[in-house]
Amino acid sequence: DGGITQSPKYLFRKEGQNVTLSCEQNLNHDAMYWYRQDPGQGLRLIYYSQIVNDFQKGDIAEGYSVSREKKESFPLTVTSAQKNPTAFYLCASTLAGELSFGPGTRLTVL
Amino acid sequence: RKEVEQDPGPFNVPEGATVAFNCTYSNSASQSFFWYRQDCRKEPKLLMSVYSSGNEDGRFTAQLNRASQYISLLIRDSKLSDSATYLCVVNMLNNNDMRFGAGTRLTVKP
């Protein structure tokens, strides 16, 4: 079955540690995205990538980094510079404008 | 002005009611528009794309007003299962820069 996988579903980290969230898709989609969602709020764009080895900052890129070495993979690193990293992180991909989402990772920084 | 804005909600309606949501966008060059549904603590799922001529899918009707730069979603004969958050999405520059509204929460009550 084609889809997007994100792991882990729940992640706990100590303050000051970097953490990498994984996102893999087997849909052969070119564009991939990372969004952050805080309770009761909409999705805010962190980074997106239209092709391999290329990515653009979204509205809230500070404190995050990404890489796109393979078409299938778009990992997100939450660095210690991110002031308030506890949130629900959603990865998505698209081929013709319609976004497909992974199940998300809930990150809690203690 | 935010790039994509939605009615704040929440909307609390009885079963069988008709309810409408609006979403305004800032970039007049945007060409692609979508409505997504998000259930509590889940990833968003595509509800429908919004076409220039308007489109209908069962009880759901989506419309685009380019002159006033807004899209709308109409839900007729509301069901309990329609309770969710509805998110509008705009492809801002038609380059896969996909931005979300903050979402409108709908609760349908018996």
Side-chain angles (χ1 to χ4, degrees):
Chain A
D1 286 335
I4 302 176
T5 56
Q6 289 185 246
S7 62
K9 191 171 181 179
Y10 298 95
L11 187 57
F12 297 87
R13 279 293 182 271
K14 290 183 179 178
E15 195 173 345
Q17 289 182 332
N18 290 358
V19 59
T20 297
L21 312 184
S22 87
C23 177
E24 303 280 331
Q25 55 103 355
N26 60 3
L27 300 167
N28 200 32
H29 286 176
D30 289 317
M32 296 187 73
Y33 304 78
W34 275 105
Y35 291 92
R36 168 183 172 141
Q37 187 173 36
D38 292 283
Q41 298 190 30
L43 278 68
R44 291 185 290 166
L45 183 64
I46 305 173
Y47 270 99
Y48 71 104
S49 167
Q50 299 207 63
I51 55 172
V52 173
N53 293 324
D54 178 71
F55 45 83
Q56 286 81 43
K57 292 181 179 180
D59 293 329
I60 54 166
E62 186 175 350
Y64 299 98
S65 66
V66 293
S67 63
R68 187 87 186 274
E69 297 177 0
K70 298 186 300 181
K71 188 175 185 177
E72 303 79 21
S73 179
F74 191 41
L76 173 75
T77 297
V78 185
T79 75
S80 56
Q82 169 49 233
K83 298 279 189 285
N84 185 17
T86 294
F88 186 37
Y89 290 88
L90 287 155
C91 179
S93 68
T94 184
L95 184 62
E98 295 179 4
L99 289 166
S100 298
F101 282 89
T105 293
R106 292 195 181 273
L107 173 65
T108 302
V109 175
L110 306 170
Chain B
R1 181 185 176 185
K2 288 184 181 177
E3 291 168 319
V4 182
E5 290 198 76
Q6 286 187 244
D7 288 345
F11 285 69
N12 298 304
V13 302
E15 269 187 295
T18 295
V19 62
F21 309 135
N22 285 332
C23 173
T24 59
Y25 58 95
S26 61
N27 190 331
S28 60
S30 299
Q31 297 289 329
S32 304
F33 311 90
F34 308 89
W35 283 102
Y36 279 73
R37 169 191 170 126
Q38 186 176 27
D39 293 293
C40 190
R41 301 180 70 81
K42 297 284 191 182
E43 74 274 21
K45 292 192 186 294
L46 179 67
L47 180 64
M48 55 199 307
S49 302
V50 185
Y51 303 128
S52 296
S53 54
N55 47 303
E56 188 173 310
D57 182 4
R59 298 181 293 108
F60 298 84
T61 300
Q63 293 194 312
L64 168 64
N65 184 316
R66 286 195 186 278
S68 300
Q69 292 180 214
Y70 75 85
I71 62 173
S72 64
L73 177 68
L74 181 77
I75 305 175
R76 291 181 296 278
D77 188 23
S78 300
K79 310 290 184 194
L80 297 176
S81 57
D82 293 335
S83 296
T85 297
Y86 291 84
L87 300 156
C88 67
V89 183
V90 178
N91 189 345
M92 294 302 295
L93 298 173
N94 301 311
N95 62 352
N96 286 331
D97 184 355
M98 307 287 276
R99 301 302 177 112
F100 281 73
T104 300
R105 182 161 182 81
L106 171 68
T107 301
V108 181
K109 299 187 174 179

